[in-house]
Amino acid sequence: MSLKEIALTLLALFGLVAVGNALRCNCTNCEKTSYECETDGACMASTYFNQGKEQHVRICIDRDNLVPPGQPFYCLSAEGLLNTHCCYVDYCNSIEVPVPTKEGDWSGSASSWGPVELVAVIAGPVFLLCVLLMVGVFLFQYHQRAYSHRQRLEVEDPSCDHLYLAKDKTLQDLIYDMSTSGSGSGLPLFVQRTVARTIVLQEIIGKGRFGEVWRGKWRGGDVAVKIFSSREERSWFREAEIYQTIMLRHENILGFIAADNKDNGTWTQLWLVSDYHEHGSLFDYLNRYSVTIEGMIKLALSAASGLAHLHMEILGTQGKPGIAHRDLKSKNILVKKNGMCAIADLGLAVRHESITDTIDIAPNQRVGTKRYMAPEVLDETINMKHFDSFKCADIYALGLVYWEIARRCNAGGIHEEYQLPYYDLVPSDPAIEEMRKVVCDQKLRPNVPNWWQSYESLRVMGKIMRECWYANGAARLTALRIKKTLSQLSVEEDVKM
Ligand SMILES: *[C@@H]1O[C@H](CO)[C@@H](O)[C@H](O)[C@H]1NC(C)=O
């Protein structure tokens, strides 16, 4: 037996003796239990900024909340906002997690190696390797055993969570606190969870392929709760991930509040909590009401502003990646009280990673709603390696949404009934093949009536639509261009935004 083997055996034995009961962690807000808590899951330590002050939090995370496996939601850090560390050994979260640094600071650290460090690295590689190996093997075995021995379910310790949820704070206050002090990607995850768990569901307001949408109450205010069925865990995770992209918050993008996965023993409930807008979707709104010229410009301009913000890549520490929606339609846009749009349903969106010029997930060919698919998506000629292709496909769909809005515009006493795009050319729930024949082969587009020419606003809207519908994606307008044109129109027509 070599020395190393003896050491390993001893370490393994030690591991066996030390486990078998619950994991104990430091807990910043557990006065009653002398700042400790017990769990069957993990210890978590987290550091972030709140109102300019550094906040250190240490809590227990129950095993049931360690999902998805391998990359638990509660253990993720948010770049520049929140640094989180999960570990599985008693009191291992006693450490000081470093303050979140902004993106970019990382790149500097590699090149700042001085000669001393270099010498140290060259002089001691063997020693370092041995130590790392020993520690690694020790931790691995300890963790494995600790994990498999823990079966006991713990009653959640509620005292740990209420740290940042002073009784008098409203949701707006909370989000405001976070977005002014952090980088605007939202609430810390454990606050999200506490918010989600104190919502009282009121009534169901919609159903979709992923699950249901409910109206809920939190501290007297309305919130919307999208409940995913448990087999839609991936969609839930993806949508939460996209909404928490740094600097995504914008008045014309649905305001995200919280994501939560609640295990009630038999199944997991996956919640996505967002702002509630009583008008519902643009589709419902246009079915119910016609709009004035001013109303039309407001809807169109705000939708373009939201899409322009989504598409735009902002560089720098307070930046955001470019995002393409991929399922833009009137049912996925909400109408706010002030008559402006908020783009929602980001579950199919893709992000552009500009450093590597790649897309953050492997995009499958044809997702989204067939009726709104751009010609290049229908005939599969879209260049999926190129992020801009997805933006161009969004613009085509935006053009169709504009057509739906403009038809409902009441100018000189005339307006048309609500219809979906291509209502006269394809059946309801059309097949891809049926759409492809109409849009690609026959090159048909929704009808732009001649009488729109007699009203400046409708004329401009008609022109924008045509320039959104070109068969060649690259020839279409950009969201920013549309936003500028409509801003100009809103000034000419004296629309108050
Ligand atoms: C964590 O708990 C241990 C044991 O109670 C204690 O010795 C240690 O000081 C604690 N660490 C922090 C940072 O509070």
Side-chain angles (χ1 to χ4, degrees), residues 26 36 58 91 94:
N26 292 69
E36 290 184 21
R58 297 187 179 82
Y91 303 114
S94 170

Side-chain angles (χ1 to χ4, degrees), residues 60-264:
C60 284
I61 303 213
D62 287 344
R63 188 179 186 175
D64 291 350
N65 288 322
L66 291 176
V67 284
Q71 205 195 20
F73 207 70
Y74 290 111
C75 300
L76 295 182
S77 297
E79 214 167 3
L81 175 68
L82 172 80
N83 265 349
T84 303
H85 170 75
C86 282
C87 51
Y88 307 91
V89 185
D90 283 352
Y91 303 114
C92 59
N93 65 338
S94 170
I95 55 161
E96 291 280 312
V97 178
V99 175
T101 47
K102 302 280 182 249
E103 310 154 73
D105 288 6
W106 296 104
S107 54
S109 60
S111 54
S112 66
W113 276 30
V116 180
E117 285 94 325
L118 283 172
V119 167
V121 168
I122 294 159
V126 181
F127 176 68
L128 210 69
L129 207 69
C130 286
V131 169
L132 280 178
L133 204 74
M134 298 269 286
V135 169
V137 169
F138 168 65
L139 284 180
F140 176 71
Q141 294 208 345
Y142 194 71
H143 170 189
Q144 284 288 88
R145 284 167 198 278
Y147 208 83
S148 60
H149 277 75
R150 266 180 235 120
Q151 297 295 334
R152 190 151 61 96
L153 278 173
E154 288 286 317
V155 180
E156 237 178 272
D157 180 356
S159 62
C160 293
D161 286 338
H162 295 305
L163 216 46
Y164 300 95
L165 294 170
K167 280 276 175 286
D168 53 336
K169 285 211 171 176
T170 65
L171 219 41
Q172 274 63 38
D173 294 341
L174 278 174
I175 293 183
Y176 182 78
D177 284 357
M178 287 316 298
S179 49
T180 47
S181 56
S183 53
S185 69
L187 299 169
L189 297 176
F190 57 95
V191 178
Q192 290 187 18
R193 171 177 135 193
T194 308
V195 169
R197 289 182 186 194
T198 43
I199 288 171
V200 183
L201 295 181
Q202 306 282 317
E203 58 172 336
I204 190 161
I205 52 178
K207 269 189 169 133
R209 62 183 131 87
F210 50 81
E212 298 168 342
V213 182
W214 287 70
R215 179 173 67 81
K217 281 259 180 233
W218 195 77
R219 294 198 176 165
D222 282 316
V223 291
V225 183
K226 192 164 166 183
I227 304 180
F228 293 72
S229 55
S230 26
R231 71 195 139 76
E232 294 287 342
E233 176 156 354
R234 287 169 74 101
S235 320
W236 167 81
F237 188 80
R238 178 65 181 164
E239 193 163 356
E241 186 180 48
I242 293 278
Y243 271 117
Q244 292 180 90
T245 304
I246 285 182
M247 296 309 288
L248 180 61
R249 295 194 85 81
H250 185 272
E251 61 170 337
N252 303 121
I253 293 174
L254 179 63
F256 170 83
I257 297 168
D260 184 36
N261 44 1
K262 210 188 294 200
D263 200 323
N264 69 357

